């Protein structure tokens, strides 16, 4: 019988946020797949958990994913952890979950900290409807395509960004999406946690003068609701105005149709029914 893969959320800063259930699972599984085993070791040592770890990260995910799946199929259990937060959210853990799903290996969530949710909760922005956009690509073409795709997105958007790329990201967002409200949340649950609520234009100016530090979550307002289009002009009103100027019905219909760009035949019968008795 196949073992179980546990997707375990770990603290995004404050180690006190590791749930009792997560501690229990980490202590009971046969082994732990960690994004960085050094970071995993600090967490395990803090809670006096002694379990073997194997590395599982972006550049070895294909080979290690197969190895982990084989061990699970042999009956072992595994906890998947990332450096911080919930695995598989903008994270290579997605691939391992997919492998297990395809092979019928049970996958169980052990929920807990998530930087996107934590940032939304303190951003002070509309979070009734929102979408997660993750990291913008460093590739210029992919980055531009991503920004163009979300130009009209009206839901609040959440991005992750590293400090050394933050200013460029803010500049690109401002250039493509225009100025709009943004909350920049950094170092969540850590000593220097900060929420900077501002606009894209002001954020660009601020970080040009103040080099950013720490990992950021950007909570960006969606595109403003487009103004409702004005009702199209009523052809009958145009016909009536021309009749008042002395035009015949046929002449008024012809001129109104030309001015409004509508077929003459589409309004002629209506005009005859409404105005023929007035002539």
């Amino acid at each position: 019988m196949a073992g179980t893969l546990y997707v375990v959320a770990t603290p995004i800063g404050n180690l006190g946020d590791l749930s009792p259930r997560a501690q229990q699972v980490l202590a009971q599984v046969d082994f732990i797949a960690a994004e960085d085993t050094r970071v995993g070791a600090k967490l395990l040592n803090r809670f006096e958990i002694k379990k073997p770890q194997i590395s599982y990260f972006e550049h070895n995910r294909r080979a290690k994913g197969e190895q982990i799946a084989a061990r699970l199929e042999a009956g072992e259990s595994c906890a998947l952890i990332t450096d911080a937060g919930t695995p598989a959210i903008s994270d290579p853990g997605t691939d391992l979950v997919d492998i297990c799903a395809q092979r019928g290996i049970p996958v169980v969530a052990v929920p807990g900290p998530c930087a996107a949710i934590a940032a939304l909760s303190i951003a002070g922005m509309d979070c009734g409807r929102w979408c997660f956009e993750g990291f913008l690509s460093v590739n210029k073409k992919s980055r531009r395509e991503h920004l163009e795709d979300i130009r009209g997105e009206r839901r609040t958007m959440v991005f992750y960004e590293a400090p050394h790329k933050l200013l460029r990201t803010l500049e690109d967002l401002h250039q493509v999406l225009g100025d709009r409200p943004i909350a920049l949340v950094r170092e969540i649950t850590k000593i220097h946690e900060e929420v900077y609520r501002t606009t894209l234009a002001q954020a660009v100016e601020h970080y040009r003068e103040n080099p950013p530090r720490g990992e950021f979550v950007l909570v960006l307002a969606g595109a403003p609701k487009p103004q409702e289009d004005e009702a199209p002009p009523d052809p009958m009103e145009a016909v009536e105005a021309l009749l008042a100027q002395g035009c015949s019905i046929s002449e008024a219909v012809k001129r109104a149709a030309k001015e409004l760009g509508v077929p003459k035949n589409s309004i002629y019968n209506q005009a005859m029914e409404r105005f023929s008795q007035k002539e």
Side-chain angles (χ1 to χ4, degrees):
M1 181 177 178
T4 299
L5 175 69
Y6 294 91
V7 180
V8 181
T10 57
I12 53 180
N14 191 321
L15 294 183
D17 290 335
L18 187 68
S19 73
R21 182 181 174 220
Q23 295 177 44
Q24 182 182 43
V25 169
L26 292 174
Q28 291 179 347
V29 294
D30 294 301
F31 67 102
I32 295 169
E35 181 180 6
D36 186 329
T37 55
R38 295 166 297 182
V39 176
K42 291 179 181 179
L43 179 68
L44 298 177
N45 290 337
R46 167 66 173 76
F47 294 97
E48 299 182 348
I49 297 172
K50 300 185 183 298
K51 287 292 173 177
Q53 295 186 86
I54 65 170
S55 65
Y56 177 81
F57 58 96
E58 177 63 29
H59 300 296
N60 73 359
R61 59 188 169 89
R62 288 184 174 83
K64 285 296 179 70
E66 293 295 330
Q67 294 176 21
I68 294 169
R71 293 179 65 174
L72 288 165
E73 287 180 318
E76 292 186 81
S77 59
C78 172
L80 173 66
I81 62 173
T82 185
D83 287 352
T86 302
I89 306 300
S90 197
D91 179 82
T94 302
D95 299 289
L96 180 56
V97 172
D98 185 51
I99 290 173
C100 290
Q102 291 181 25
R103 299 188 182 188
I105 299 170
V107 179
V108 173
V110 183
C114 174
I117 299 297
L120 275 168
S121 72
I122 59 177
M125 299 178 66
D126 178 22
C127 56
R129 296 183 64 204
W130 61 278
C131 58
F132 179 64
E133 297 295 331
F135 289 95
L136 289 176
S137 173
V138 295
N139 178 276
K140 288 184 178 180
K141 181 180 179 182
S142 298
R143 190 182 186 88
R144 174 62 63 166
E145 289 175 349
H146 188 161
L147 292 174
E148 290 294 340
D149 284 344
I150 62 174
R151 184 193 291 272
E153 176 59 66
R154 288 172 54 192
R155 293 172 294 180
T156 297
M157 292 171 279
V158 178
F159 300 84
Y160 287 164
E161 196 51 277
H164 65 281
K165 297 190 295 181
L166 178 68
L167 181 56
R168 179 191 170 193
T169 291
L170 292 172
E171 290 172 339
D172 288 349
L173 287 169
H174 184 237
Q175 180 181 6
V176 177
L177 306 183
D179 202 17
R180 60 178 70 177
I182 185 172
L184 299 99
V185 188
R186 72 181 189 94
E187 298 293 270
I188 304 174
T189 77
K190 300 178 184 177
I191 295 175
H192 300 292
E193 178 180 300
E194 178 185 43
V195 183
Y196 177 35
R197 302 177 183 91
T198 182
T199 65
L200 277 172
Q202 292 173 343
V204 168
E205 292 300 319
H206 176 78
Y207 288 108
R208 281 176 179 167
E209 300 294 329
N210 303 278
R213 295 180 180 180
E215 300 297 318
F216 283 80
V217 180
L218 312 180
V219 183
L220 181 65
K225 184 177 181 180
Q227 295 183 350
E228 293 185 7
D229 295 334
E230 295 182 2
D234 183 357
M236 293 304 102
E237 290 182 0
V239 170
E240 187 172 24
L242 291 166
L243 289 173
Q245 298 173 20
C247 293
S248 65
I249 291 180
S250 59
E251 180 63 21
V253 167
K254 181 178 179 181
R255 288 177 56 180
K258 183 176 181 181
E259 291 173 5
L260 300 178
V262 297
K264 181 176 66 174
N265 293 340
S266 67
I267 63 175
Y268 182 78
N269 290 338
Q270 186 179 355
M272 288 296 294
E273 291 177 4
R274 183 178 297 188
F275 303 117
S276 61
Q277 296 179 355
K278 296 181 180 182
E279 286 196 320

